[in-house]
Amino acid sequence: DRGTSRCELVHGRRGNLARESRVRDAELLVAAEVVEIEGREVSVLLNLCTAVEEDWLRELFPHAFRVEKVAFYDASSRRVAGEERTVFRDLIIRTRRTEKLPPEQAAALLAAEVATGRLVLTHWNNALEQWIIRLNRLVKWMPELQLPALAPGDRELLLQQALLGASSYREIKDRPIAHAIKSWLSTPQQELVERFTPEHVHLPNGRKFKVQYDESAAPTVAIRIQDLYGVDKPLTIAAGQIPLIIQVLAPNHRPIQVTADLKNFWANSYPEIKQQLQRRYPKHEWR
């Protein structure tokens, strides 16, 4: 840096060129004396410096040179950029931007930004998150099915595959990704997820309600009290092994009771609830 005389050295070090040095305009130099001066912090002073040319280094140390192609995420433009670096040992002596990026590197960098939440995908939605939770819970509830759990690292690898060929947020924002994520399972395995951890539960009266799955808590379903008339058996999933927690809703769709035992609810809780709600909602059916 000609303004500050700071220099980058091999081995990842930095130093300041001596003020009286006559090679301040040189791109490359050799320092015969490196002095560490201790104060509030250690400063490195470069003395007895001699300017050198890249061609000289190439002649003397031909195997110390290499060219690296590096991809990195540029947050300002929200795209992956490429850089070609000429490196002497571990010292970068020249860089230039390049548009030729290894597609795997670009996809990995974009996937990492999505995983941290800095980039949001339109189709990475609640339904897809719920599918992943349904799979992972089913793995624990029914190990006999021998389904593979989907860990965070696996999610990122699948996402990388879905983002191959893209190098910018604009290209991936609306890209469909559900198929790529669900490809973790075979078609028969996906059918097991739908069968044993369904997205909706069906009542005997023919109505269906969405099940909300949680990574650690019991699955729940919210149902209006009138829709539960005639239902006194537990609502279950996973071949009857897992009872659903039912949020019983008043006519205004606010929870008034949480239960997994409908028979006990109708016998003990409902009479008092009915008295309270019947006065507030006289036009609704009350049995």
Side-chain angles (χ1 to χ4, degrees):
D1 184 337
R2 290 185 177 86
T4 63
S5 298
R6 285 197 297 265
C7 301
E8 291 185 350
L9 311 178
V10 293
H11 309 309
R13 301 181 67 189
R14 290 186 177 184
N16 290 304
L17 195 60
R19 189 174 302 173
E20 65 274 11
S21 176
R22 299 198 176 185
V23 295
R24 300 176 70 87
D25 293 331
E27 291 290 337
L28 296 170
L29 56 91
V30 173
E33 183 179 83
V34 180
V35 180
E36 290 186 348
I37 303 172
E38 293 192 13
R40 290 185 177 178
E41 56 185 34
V42 176
S43 60
V44 179
L45 189 63
L46 309 179
N47 289 317
L48 304 178
C49 297
T50 302
V52 296
E53 298 290 339
E54 182 180 333
D55 290 343
W56 305 351
L57 295 176
R58 287 186 179 275
E59 183 178 349
L60 292 170
F61 310 102
H63 300 296
F65 279 86
R66 68 181 186 275
V67 175
E68 297 178 343
K69 291 184 178 179
V70 180
F72 60 93
Y73 179 71
D74 185 348
S76 60
S77 62
R78 297 209 286 187
R79 65 180 299 113
V80 176
E83 201 171 66
E84 188 177 273
R85 299 172 177 174
T86 301
V87 183
F88 174 72
R89 296 182 179 172
D90 62 348
L91 181 66
I92 300 172
I93 61 175
R94 186 168 53 258
T95 63
R96 72 178 184 90
R97 295 294 286 264
T98 177
E99 296 299 323
K100 295 181 180 179
L101 302 173
E104 295 81 6
Q105 285 189 29
L109 288 167
L110 289 172
E113 293 298 309
V114 173
T116 61
R118 288 188 289 267
L119 295 182
V120 178
L121 302 183
T122 302
H123 297 291
W124 193 293
N125 50 26
N126 182 65
L128 186 54
E129 288 286 354
Q130 281 285 290
W131 186 86
I132 294 171
I133 295 173
R134 288 160 60 196
L135 165 61
N136 289 339
R137 295 310 303 270
L138 187 57
V139 169
K140 294 181 179 180
W141 291 335
M142 301 183 70
E144 65 272 17
L145 298 177
Q146 298 184 337
L147 296 175
L150 187 55
D154 302 320
R155 291 169 53 160
E156 194 165 332
L157 287 174
L158 292 171
L159 185 58
Q160 289 178 29
Q161 296 177 16
L163 303 184
L164 276 175
S167 59
S168 68
Y169 178 50
R170 183 177 180 180
E171 293 175 86
I172 68 171
K173 182 180 179 182
D174 298 317
R175 180 171 291 194
I177 57 169
H179 178 75
I181 302 302
K182 292 183 179 182
S183 69
W184 180 252
L185 301 181
S186 65
T187 299
Q189 288 175 325
Q190 292 183 36
E191 291 172 353
L192 292 176
V193 174
E194 298 304 322
R195 184 192 312 172
F196 293 115
T197 53
E199 193 173 0
H200 296 88
V201 63
H202 293 262
L203 299 186
N205 58 21
R207 297 187 179 183
K208 66 177 184 179
F209 297 88
K210 191 175 185 66
V211 181
Q212 185 68 30
Y213 292 86
D214 189 272
E215 293 179 349
S216 55
T220 62
V221 59
I223 306 175
R224 272 195 331 138
I225 194 169
Q226 279 78 15
D227 293 319
L228 286 169
Y229 286 153
V231 182
D232 58 2
K233 293 182 179 180
L235 302 180
T236 63
I237 58 171
Q241 298 181 39
I242 305 299
L244 295 177
I245 302 299
I246 304 168
Q247 290 185 354
V248 183
L249 306 181
N252 63 354
H253 293 275
R254 291 184 178 179
I256 53 173
Q257 184 83 10
V258 175
T259 183
D261 187 348
L262 285 172
K263 189 173 182 180
N264 180 67
F265 167 76
W266 294 123
N268 299 306
S269 302
Y270 178 66
E272 182 178 348
I273 291 174
K274 177 183 176 181
Q275 289 182 4
Q276 296 174 2
L277 294 181
Q278 194 171 21
R279 292 191 295 268
R280 294 170 59 186
Y281 304 100
K283 295 183 179 180
H284 286 72
E285 178 186 9
W286 299 100
R287 297 183 186 175

